[in-house]
Each structure stands twice: as structure tokens, then as C-alpha cells.
Amino acid sequence: MPLYKSISVNSQTTVKIWKIEESYDALFQPLDLKSQSLQRVLGMKSELHQRGFLSVRHLLHEFGYTDQDLYYDENGKPHLKDGKHISITHSFTFSGVIISDAEVGIDIEKQREKIGIIAHKFVDYESNYVKPTDEDYINRLTVIWGIKESLYKLFATPGMLFKEHFLVIPFMLEDGCTVAWIDYKNKKYRYHTAFLEFEGFTCAYVIP
């Protein structure tokens, strides 16, 4: 089973990443899915999405959980029945799960040129230090998107906007970490963030 990477962030927090190489059948066979999950996976039109969904259940198993331990709230945020905090992501051939005692968020993105086209939708303050002429422009934009997506998953509050409410402090790719802020409804929240690159993908995650 291709557990691709396991990262011990701190004593309370672990990230696990899965490289999705198996067929749908190979991923589906060993799992015991609850009826809602079964309906969800069977209703997906893309096999890529189905395999991503199923690989996340295999990652849960790596943590010692099953599909029965996972549920979603009205905002679509995942929770574990034992009270631990969880965040989930999948993108093309990779999926990831972060579990912690604290609120957390994770995102995996494929590095693609087209992110430059939509940069104006999620970058504001960050344009002071990330420029289209930079050699690593696409990679750093992908990190910014991944961090903001992770913050959005952590906060799970409808109405939050990447451009207006999330801010990523300047960083270089070799840093592997930075700080991010949420500025929302006259309150400010500070988060530690980390990121890594592998096989044309970027993974970012945030913790308080």
C-alpha cells in the first residue's frame, strides 16, 4: 500500500500522504464503508475522484480509524468521533490527511501554469513579494493557494474570501514554512504553516 510520506509535525499532530497508484477495485475491496460514504463514492462521475475518496479511507486506517469514525458537519467540515481534529485533501494522484489535538487544515495542489491566470482572485498583499517575473512564481503562488485553502478548511466559515480575509507572510520555497493570518470580522488569528513539494505537487498545512 503506497503510504507516500508521514510527517510528525509535533507531539499532537501528524500528516500522512498517499500516492494513489491502485485501481478503484483494489482501493474499494478492503474497505467497510458506511452507507452515506458508499452512496457518495458511487455517485461520483470521475474515477479519479472516487480513487481519491477511497485513498483517504486508507489513510484513516493508517491512523487507526475507519470510515465509521468520520463524519461531516453542515459546512462540509470533517470531524472524528473521538474529538480529534482532522483535515482532508486529494488532488489527482495524491491524497493527504492531517490529524491533531488542535484545529488544522491541509491542502495538496498540482503545480500548474494556469494558477497565474487566477492569481488576482486570491492574491492581494502577497503581490508585494511574489511577482510574475519571478523564476519560482508558479510554485510560490501554489504555496499561497495551498495555505489559504488550508485556512479556509480549518475555519469552515461561509463568506470568508481568500483575497480579503487571509494573508500569507513573505517566504522563500527553501524556508518550508511561514506564518499566515486570518483577519475576519475585526478579529485576527495567527497560524503556523508548513509546505513541501514532491513530484510536481505542493502540500501545505496550517496549525495554530
Side-chain angles (χ1 to χ4, degrees):
M1 291 293 183
L3 178 64
Y4 184 75
K5 200 177 283 287
S6 187
I7 303 163
S8 186
V9 180
N10 55 41
S11 59
Q12 293 89 36
T13 312
T14 302
V15 171
K16 290 185 187 289
I17 297 170
W18 189 276
K19 187 173 183 182
I20 309 165
E21 297 176 325
E22 309 89 338
S23 68
Y24 169 84
D25 288 338
L27 286 165
F28 184 85
Q29 217 69 50
L31 295 175
D32 177 22
L33 298 177
K34 55 182 184 279
S35 58
Q36 302 101 301
S37 297
L38 194 55
Q39 282 175 355
R40 213 169 136 196
V41 77
L42 293 176
M44 291 175 179
K45 294 193 173 105
S46 156
E47 190 182 295
L48 201 60
H49 286 142
Q50 289 177 319
R51 289 163 68 211
F53 181 92
L54 295 173
S55 69
V56 164
R57 273 66 198 164
H58 284 274
L59 280 173
L60 281 177
H61 182 72
E62 293 285 336
F63 280 101
Y65 293 100
T66 70
D67 184 55
Q68 276 74 18
D69 297 311
L70 183 72
Y71 69 96
Y72 292 82
D73 65 21
E74 65 279 4
N75 292 322
K77 184 175 181 176
H79 298 270
L80 290 167
K81 287 181 178 174
D82 67 0
K84 292 259 192 188
H85 297 279
I86 183 172
S87 185
I88 290 167
T89 182
H90 47 85
S91 174
F92 294 91
T93 51
F94 284 95
S95 59
V97 170
I98 183 170
I99 293 179
S100 178
D101 291 349
E103 292 272 16
V104 283
I106 191 170
D107 188 53
I108 294 176
E109 295 291 335
K110 192 172 187 180
Q111 297 157 0
R112 294 185 286 177
E113 294 290 327
K114 75 174 194 180
I115 198 169
I117 299 166
I118 61 162
H120 66 281
K121 294 184 177 180
F122 69 93
V123 169
D124 184 25
Y125 160 81
E126 297 82 12
S127 60
N128 292 314
Y129 66 86
V130 178
K131 310 285 185 188
T133 50
D134 296 341
E135 196 180 325
D136 58 2
Y137 179 61
I138 297 302
N139 295 59
R140 288 208 288 162
L141 265 189
T142 308
V143 170
I144 291 166
W145 174 272
I147 290 172
K148 292 191 175 192
E149 180 71 33
S150 299
L151 289 171
Y152 188 81
K153 288 178 177 182
L154 181 152
F155 228 76
T157 302
M160 282 189 145
L161 300 171
F162 284 25
K163 189 171 180 173
E164 289 181 30
H165 302 125
F166 303 152
L167 182 149
V168 181
I169 297 300
F171 65 91
M172 299 304 289
L173 288 174
E174 54 268 28
D175 298 339
C177 63
T178 185
V179 167
W181 290 83
I182 292 177
D183 188 345
Y184 188 64
K185 293 191 173 175
N186 299 317
K187 287 186 178 177
K188 289 184 171 63
Y189 308 84
R190 184 180 188 272
Y191 294 93
H192 298 285
T193 80
F195 52 87
L196 59 148
E197 298 182 307
F198 46 85
E199 299 189 27
F201 287 78
T202 299
C203 175
Y205 53 91
V206 299
I207 57 174

